[in-house]
Amino acid sequence: MVVVEGPASEVATKVFKNKYLFKLILKHMPIFSLKGSKLTTGWGVGWRDAFILMLTADSGSRQGTCWSFTRIKHLSTGFIARFGIRMGKNTSTPNYSVSADGMAFVIQNSKYGPGAYQTESGGAHCGYGGIDNSIAIEFNTYYNQDCNDPNGNHISLHTNGTQPNSAHHDYSLGHATPSVQMNDYRLHHVILTYNPHVEGGGEMSVNFDGADLLKVKVNIAELLRLENNDEAYVGFTAATGYYHQEHLVHYCIMHRLT
Ligand SMILES: [Ca+2]
């Protein structure tokens, strides 16, 4: 795998080889950016240096969520979300076996709205377990046997339709393992693309540090109960348990696809 360092825009350009198309997409105003979001719950959730979102500190039994202020429109016609995440411990001698649990990018139209948070206990659910009517793309950095995790370093797309979501892999539509340890406390660039216009009814794909890792057949408008068949809250969740680490989001920008 090629690890792409550098500004997010350069990473994105490498993903979207059709530069004309990419420019066309970016001409629209973003439908969501991290700065327009709202912290809703959790202990120690806050902004570091005014613009980096800290979902959990390096402390045990924490969970953090952050949602858009309002429901985001233009989801059902496709979107591109670009975000930078950093997980791990601020140490030069990392011990991944005691660095947990992971975070998720979540789209939800829960009955609790922007008050939705993890109702499952423990860090294993990455802050989204129990949120109804949601889809989560988790960046899971700890092996939990009881969740049937494939390993301690995987990206997985989880949903239970309109019912409460779960980090158990019975609810995974697909997973992949990056070649780098995700919680190495370095900034990693993610591009999540949702395109409902492909054959078969829709596709979500995850590019991690410039490498296409995961592609899953899914149609969110059919799977979830979206407001006006189109709108939902978007944001991030994270959790720690007995073991812990920092979970940070450096940036997030979403554009509509069409
Ligand atoms: Ca786990």
Side-chain angles (χ1 to χ4, degrees):
M1 189 190 83
V2 180
V3 177
V4 179
E5 294 282 7
S9 56
E10 286 177 23
V11 177
T13 306
K14 286 181 184 175
V15 173
F16 293 95
K17 293 176 181 72
N18 186 336
K19 293 188 176 63
Y20 174 74
L21 177 66
F22 185 58
K23 276 184 187 160
L24 210 63
I25 289 164
L26 296 193
K27 256 178 35 181
H28 292 291
M29 290 290 284
I31 54 173
F32 172 70
S33 72
L34 191 61
K35 287 198 173 175
S37 61
K38 169 188 183 182
L39 304 173
T40 51
T41 188
W43 303 269
V45 183
W47 300 99
R48 177 186 278 181
D49 301 331
F51 68 95
I52 298 171
L53 171 66
M54 187 173 204
L55 288 163
T56 80
D58 186 11
S59 305
S61 301
R62 304 283 175 124
Q63 62 159 289
T65 65
C66 177
W67 304 118
S68 51
F69 262 113
T70 56
R71 290 185 184 91
I72 301 300
K73 295 177 182 172
H74 308 297
L75 293 180
S76 62
T77 48
F79 60 81
I80 299 162
R82 293 174 292 148
F83 49 92
I85 56 175
R86 175 182 289 221
M87 297 183 281
K89 290 174 179 286
N90 188 4
T91 170
S92 55
T93 53
N95 179 355
Y96 298 124
S97 64
V98 297
S99 190
D101 274 275
M103 60 195 292
F105 178 84
V106 181
I107 297 160
Q108 56 95 349
N109 195 27
S110 163
K111 59 189 171 194
Y112 300 108
Y117 63 94
Q118 172 178 300
T119 54
E120 297 278 354
S121 64
H125 283 272
C126 297
Y128 70 86
I131 298 179
D132 63 287
N133 203 19
S134 70
I135 185 163
I137 295 83
E138 62 163 32
F139 302 85
N140 196 316
T141 66
Y142 188 80
Y143 171 70
N144 293 92
Q145 194 173 21
D146 54 353
C147 282
N148 205 18
D149 279 347
N151 54 47
N153 188 48
H154 58 274
I155 298 170
S156 184
L157 200 148
H158 287 246
T159 185
N160 190 18
T162 58
Q163 299 302 303
N165 210 339
S166 169
H168 193 285
H169 276 254
D170 282 355
Y171 301 93
S172 171
L173 299 184
H175 73 266
T177 300
S179 62
V180 293
Q181 188 72 33
M182 289 189 287
N183 57 347
D184 58 3
Y185 207 63
R186 293 170 66 191
L187 178 60
H188 295 285
H189 303 287
V190 180
I191 300 172
L192 174 71
T193 309
Y194 171 60
N195 184 357
H197 309 293
V198 299
E199 207 176 324
E203 189 174 82
M204 203 172 266
S205 55
V206 181
N207 180 287
F208 188 83
D209 284 343
D212 290 322
L213 278 193
L214 186 59
K215 208 166 261 187
V216 172
K217 293 271 175 220
V218 65
N219 187 299
I220 61 169
E222 289 172 7
L223 185 74
L224 305 179
R225 195 173 50 244
L226 299 176
E227 208 73 9
N228 301 318
N229 289 320
D230 183 55
E231 304 164 29
Y233 294 93
V234 301
F236 292 91
T237 69
T240 68
Y242 181 74
Y243 297 123
H244 41 85
Q245 64 189 2
E246 287 183 15
H247 296 90
L248 306 168
V249 184
H250 280 239
Y251 65 90
C252 178
I253 305 159
M254 274 176 88
H255 282 86
R256 53 192 289 188
L257 198 61
T258 53

